[in-house]
């Protein structure tokens, strides 16, 4: 991530996939919570006039990055609830992601892959 303060522009690189599920490299030491916390920390540095350049997708605003962070929060909470109810990965995949995020899957990170990432990282039983 690079911030050009005078120009009020931030380049997020692969930390931001506009309106798409992100790639979180769990095997490389990444975590869903760490990813979400990093997005949150960046939001704290931006104002409503900041131009946000995502790693994938068109130019965005702080509010669109905030929408992305809300998706992360919602999906984390949803997955924690599914795990607490004792649902296994197959059952969760069968039901799919929450309705409001069903169109966030894409060629690289499908809804199925996103569910797997959330489950594998947030399921402390595994």
């Amino acid at each position: 991530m690079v911030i050009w303060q005078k120009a009020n522009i931030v380049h997020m690189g692969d930390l931001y996939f506009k309106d798409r599920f992100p790639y979180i490299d769990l095997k490389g030491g990444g975590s869903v919570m760490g990813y979400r916390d990093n997005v949150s920390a960046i939001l704290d540095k931006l104002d409503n006039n900041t131009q946000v350049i995502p790693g994938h997708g068109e130019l965005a605003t702080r509010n669109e990055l905030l929408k992305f962070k809300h998706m992360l929060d919602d999906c984390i909470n949803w997955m924690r609830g599914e795990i607490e109810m004792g649902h296994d990965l197959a059952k969760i995949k069968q039901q799919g992601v929450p309705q409001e995020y069903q169109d966030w899957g894409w060629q690289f990170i499908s809804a199925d892959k996103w569910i797997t990432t959330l489950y594998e990282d947030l399921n402390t039983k595994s």
Side-chain angles (χ1 to χ4, degrees):
M1 186 258 328
V2 177
I3 296 177
W4 290 274
Q5 291 178 337
K6 289 182 182 177
N8 204 12
I9 297 172
V10 61
H11 193 302
M12 300 286 296
D14 280 347
L15 191 57
Y16 179 37
F17 297 65
K18 185 174 183 292
D19 298 329
R20 299 288 178 243
F21 296 129
Y23 173 69
I24 301 174
D25 187 1
L26 301 180
K27 291 179 181 166
S31 73
V32 172
M33 296 305 297
Y35 187 97
R36 191 277 318 266
D37 291 348
N38 285 327
V39 171
S40 183
I42 293 165
L43 278 162
D44 290 342
K45 298 176 186 289
L46 309 180
D47 65 35
N48 288 333
N49 296 315
T50 304
Q51 293 184 21
V52 180
I53 303 169
H56 297 270
E58 58 195 48
L59 190 62
T61 64
R62 183 185 184 281
N63 283 339
E64 288 169 314
L65 181 59
L66 185 60
K67 175 183 168 187
F68 179 76
K69 198 251 186 205
H70 287 282
M71 178 279 299
L72 294 171
D73 289 333
D74 290 348
C75 286
I76 289 165
N77 293 333
W78 165 74
M79 182 57 72
R80 284 181 173 158
E82 293 297 314
I83 291 167
E84 286 175 15
M85 288 187 284
H87 296 163
D88 65 13
L89 182 57
K91 180 172 181 67
I92 298 167
K93 283 184 176 184
Q94 184 179 22
Q95 88 180 29
V97 296
Q99 178 71 32
E100 61 266 38
Y101 303 115
Q102 288 185 0
D103 64 345
W104 282 59
W106 57 299
Q107 183 176 6
F108 186 54
I109 304 296
S110 64
D112 193 68
K113 188 169 184 174
W114 179 235
I115 289 169
T116 299
T117 298
L118 291 166
Y119 185 85
E120 287 180 356
D121 195 40
L122 299 173
N123 187 9
T124 57
K125 297 174 191 169
S126 55

